[in-house]
Amino acid sequence: MCIRDRPNGDYAYCEGLLRREDRDRWLASLFVPREPRPHIHALYAFSLEIARVHEIVSEPLLGEIRFQWWRDALEGTHAGEATANPLAAALLDSIARFHLPKAPLLELISARGRDLYGDPIESVNALEAYTQATCSNLLRLAALILDGEEAAASRDAALHAGIAYGITGLIRSLPWNSGRGQVFVPAGILQAHGASRDDFAAGHASEAVLAALADMRAVARAHLDIFYAKLPGLPDKSRPAFLPVCLCEPYLRLMEKPGYEPFKTVIELPQWRRQWILWRVAHQWG
């Protein structure tokens, strides 16, 4: 590969990773204008890479080492080593092209650090802070890539859209997270219904657990409502960045169907339906 072809290869790597491992965001990216699309791929591929660190390391220290490598890459330490990594190279190129702030990406890394230890989330506020760092920050940067300037409306919308998207994703991933001893339901919600972390470790879908998950869905929907109320005020250019959020409500409704078993049911939509929802919403928002 000649040197001038390298950036294209780096971005192709990011798209391939996203297409395999995060189908929803990849499908949503198809409705983003072609020119900025690779940079959206780089942003979300980075998020995916950071999110799965806890899945591939055998002990927290190894995860901390990986996170520090990414911090160094973002902060410019050992630049040559970072740009040899196709994902890092694409991300750093996108940051430079669009003058993206690095602080939201560093916050994302720090938030994912809790995943290494399975620390409990004590309150709804803590859950919102976690999903803000891991999801809202990404939407904020994606909107900045598309719009060129960060409007206050976009930043506020990203906050609520990301929290809704993040909480919905955490409930969807309950069968996998609980198997690894991870519980993202706030302790305050568990206590309010008489549920415990032990219920999740045992995969026991008690009435208390189901009530706690209903509260989680209510929190997600509350933020969805705020996002949709702010949607008319969003700049047209930034709106495609928020398309993944339109899949939240269909997923939440699947969790309310008869026969839903939170520790067993895979919450998934057929690809044709996801594509149709994204297509319909993209035209409505456009």
Side-chain angles (χ1 to χ4, degrees), residues 185-207:
V185 181
I189 290 180
L190 293 177
Q191 292 166 5
H193 294 286
S196 72
R197 289 171 60 90
D198 291 341
D199 292 327
F200 286 80
H204 179 46
S206 64
E207 290 298 320

Side-chain angles (χ1 to χ4, degrees), residues 32-33 36 142-143 145-149 154 234-242:
V32 168
I145 287 172
L146 296 185
D147 193 33
E149 295 184 9
S154 294
L234 287 180
D236 291 344
K237 287 184 179 180
S238 69
R239 291 187 182 188
F242 296 93

Side-chain angles (χ1 to χ4, degrees), residues 79-94:
E81 181 182 342
T83 54
N85 178 302
L87 197 164
L91 179 66
L92 293 173
D93 182 60
S94 296

Side-chain angles (χ1 to χ4, degrees), residues 66-78:
R66 284 177 178 263
F67 287 154
Q68 188 58 50
W69 187 92
W70 279 102
R71 290 189 186 96
D72 291 344
L74 288 169
E75 292 169 351
T77 307
H78 308 306

Side-chain angles (χ1 to χ4, degrees), residues 33-191:
R34 184 177 299 274
E35 186 174 346
R37 191 183 305 160
H39 306 288
I40 300 294
H41 292 158
L43 185 65
Y44 284 125
F46 164 75
S47 172
L48 177 61
E49 184 73 10
I50 298 301
R52 65 182 186 175
V53 164
H54 78 282
E55 300 175 8
I56 61 179
V57 297
S58 57
E59 57 180 280
L61 178 59
L62 297 177
E64 297 285 8
I65 291 171
R66 284 177 178 263
F67 287 154
Q68 188 58 50
W69 187 92
W70 279 102
R71 290 189 186 96
D72 291 344
L74 288 169
E75 292 169 351
T77 307
H78 308 306
E81 181 182 342
T83 54
N85 178 302
L87 197 164
L91 179 66
L92 293 173
D93 182 60
S94 296
I95 289 171
R97 286 174 185 255
F98 295 94
H99 307 290
L100 301 179
K102 296 177 182 178
L105 300 175
L106 293 170
E107 289 173 8
L108 186 153
I109 295 173
S110 295
R112 288 295 184 187
R114 72 157 304 282
D115 297 353
L116 298 175
Y117 303 95
D119 294 337
I121 292 179
E122 295 297 334
S123 65
V124 171
N125 286 343
L127 175 66
E128 290 169 336
Y130 175 80
T131 49
Q132 178 183 349
T134 55
C135 294
S136 301
N137 280 351
L138 292 173
L139 290 173
R140 174 191 167 192
L141 294 176
L144 185 55
I145 287 172
L146 296 185
D147 193 33
E149 295 184 9
E150 186 174 34
S154 294
R155 184 166 185 162
D156 200 23
L159 170 65
H160 296 285
I163 292 173
Y165 190 84
I167 293 176
T168 301
L170 290 174
I171 308 173
R172 288 182 64 204
S173 60
L174 187 62
W176 296 275
N177 288 335
S178 60
R180 294 193 295 264
Q182 290 187 302
V183 180
F184 288 93
V185 181
I189 290 180
L190 293 177
Q191 292 166 5

Side-chain angles (χ1 to χ4, degrees), residues 15-24 48 52 55:
E15 180 181 8
L17 180 63
L18 201 63
R19 183 173 185 172
R20 291 191 306 273
E21 305 293 341
D22 193 342
R23 199 74 168 181
D24 286 359
L48 177 61
R52 65 182 186 175
E55 300 175 8

Side-chain angles (χ1 to χ4, degrees), residues 255-270:
M255 299 171 197
E256 295 165 342
K257 283 192 169 184
Y260 168 61
E261 297 185 35
F263 299 105
K264 297 179 182 179
T265 305
V266 177
I267 300 299
E268 192 66 274
L269 292 167

